[in-house]
Amino acid sequence: MRKFSDTPLGKFFGFERKGASMLRQGLALVKGNPHIIETSVREVWNNLVGVPLYRRFDPGGSTLPGEITLDLTRRCNLKCAMCTQIRHTAEIPPELSWYDSERELPLSKWIDILDQVTAFRPRLHITGGEPLLYPGFRELIREAKRRRFFTRVTSNGTLLAGMADLLVSLGVEVVSVSLDGPEEVHDRIRGVAGAFRRTTAGAKTLLELRNALGKRIPLLAVICTVSKDSLNTLKETVPLALALGADVLEVHHTFFDSPGNVAKHNRIFSADRARRRGMELILPEVLDFEYYRSRIEAEDLALLQETLSEMRERAKGRLNMVFVPNLPRELIGPYYLDLEYAFPEVCKSLWKSCRIYPDGSVAPCLHVYIGNITEQPLLELWNSPGMRAFRETINEGLFPACARCCSRRFT
């Protein structure tokens, strides 16, 4: 029997919660923004009924998206080792227009997107790059909250101290920051000295302001990423999150690929195949410097399994935890060591969420280009011929580059 936390309703807020803590945090979110109820009911209905019906009877179409992700910028002030954006020393191809800082959307275009979707009010996920580098960030948050969107901001946290007053006063529901371990480990992984101090200072400022104003939101989520570099000190993120006063600790398994798998993918998902299916690709499909290569080996598995178990125990009753993906112990080995392991060939993200890149491009994944919101309304793009063709293709089976994507199912 599935745990409640594994059901669509239990997963709505993106966290695995238990008991009184779950109730307190849920009530705090609803009190801060009653429209969350409307958003959650629609999303649960789509997950349980709408999306399955479309995937079975009209796999190209979809109900309205439950979440809109706004990638405000691809600029970032860190150089994270495991980032899936183009590697830091690589020259960015001009075809990938969303990396061009000169082509970032003006604030007015983002506000126009908010107006287009206010009627059904999906969750907003504001991210990047580092979204706090976007010059219109403050005003965009104001406009999002004026329209009563459930809003989550994901940041590396280094600029958070200067934005904490805004996020608390306007009632942003969730703020997520990255913390990969003790100071030395975190700074090495994030590629910039002092990143740990600035991130923890920002998180503390956020919570101090929240407490001073007697508020329960924003909830603070600390995100740590599993990698070879963090493995030996990964369990220390639990006391670090507790010391900060975080509400949630998210443990993310690395999303990675390999040169052989990428080459295989590019052979299979070719320009000719895309053209026959009515899709537009930006080639090459996956670039050699556009993915992270995991260094976790068979000899690391025992330590990783024990570490994750110990983290659960240390957090029990004290800190809500979520694992992304939520792998049982026996699947951790296949996840890291076998890119061809027979995980379920299922991805539902194309029916549930939409990502808009900094220049307005809608490219759901794998360099499949659907269009640009400066040229066509978002909801027309959402069920456009290209998007329908891509959904139909993915409904038939995944591609090699989907092997370790955060959007697919692993259990």
Side-chain angles (χ1 to χ4, degrees), residues 179 200 203 207 220-224 235-250 315 318-321:
L179 201 61
T200 53
L207 294 182
L220 175 65
V222 168
I223 300 174
C224 65
K235 61 186 178 183
E236 298 305 315
T237 56
V238 175
L240 284 171
L242 286 168
L244 284 175
D247 300 285
V248 183
L249 176 62
E250 298 185 26
R318 306 169 69 198
L319 180 67
N320 290 320
M321 294 189 68

Side-chain angles (χ1 to χ4, degrees), residues 54-65:
Y54 266 101
R55 292 186 69 231
R56 182 171 182 180
F57 297 108
D58 181 19
S62 177
T63 59
L64 297 170

Side-chain angles (χ1 to χ4, degrees), residues 84-88 90-93 287-291 293:
T84 55
Q85 292 186 175
I86 286 180
R87 314 321 295 167
H88 317 295
E91 182 177 347
I92 298 173
L287 301 168
D288 287 338
F289 41 80
E290 200 176 12
Y291 60 90
R293 304 182 189 186

Side-chain angles (χ1 to χ4, degrees), residues 79-82 180 185-191 227 229-230:
K79 299 179 179 180
C80 305
M82 63 290 187
D180 291 307
V185 174
H186 179 83
D187 285 0
R188 183 172 65 249
I189 291 173
R190 297 289 163 172
S227 69
D229 297 312
S230 68

Side-chain angles (χ1 to χ4, degrees), residues 271-322:
D272 182 60
R273 180 172 186 168
R275 189 165 46 250
R276 292 199 307 269
R277 296 301 298 261
M279 295 181 288
E280 181 180 350
L281 289 186
I282 298 176
L283 298 171
E285 236 291 279
V286 179
L287 301 168
D288 287 338
F289 41 80
E290 200 176 12
Y291 60 90
Y292 173 70
R293 304 182 189 186
S294 174
R295 294 186 291 112
I296 289 180
E297 301 171 320
E299 62 191 37
D300 300 315
L301 290 183
L303 174 59
L304 177 54
Q305 290 167 334
E306 291 305 316
T307 295
L308 297 179
S309 296
E310 183 176 345
M311 291 175 73
R312 289 180 188 270
E313 288 301 314
R314 295 177 78 172
K316 187 177 294 184
R318 306 169 69 198
L319 180 67
N320 290 320
M321 294 189 68
V322 60

Side-chain angles (χ1 to χ4, degrees), residues 42 46 54 60-70 109 112-124 149 350-356 360-362 370-388 391:
R42 181 181 291 110
N46 285 345
Y54 266 101
S62 177
T63 59
L64 297 170
E67 180 177 76
I68 305 288
T69 295
L70 310 184
K109 293 296 183 181
D112 181 56
I113 291 297
L114 299 184
D115 288 335
Q116 290 182 42
V117 301
T118 295
F120 63 97
R121 203 172 277 106
R123 285 187 289 163
L124 290 184
F149 282 101
L350 300 179
W351 290 262
K352 296 164 61 176
S353 60
C354 181
R355 179 182 293 268
I356 305 172
S361 294
V362 176
I370 303 301
N372 194 291
I373 58 97
T374 63
E375 301 169 356
Q376 194 172 354
L378 177 62
L379 294 186
E380 287 185 11
L381 293 171
W382 177 245
N383 276 313
S384 63
M387 191 67 177
R388 291 181 64 88
R391 288 195 189 103

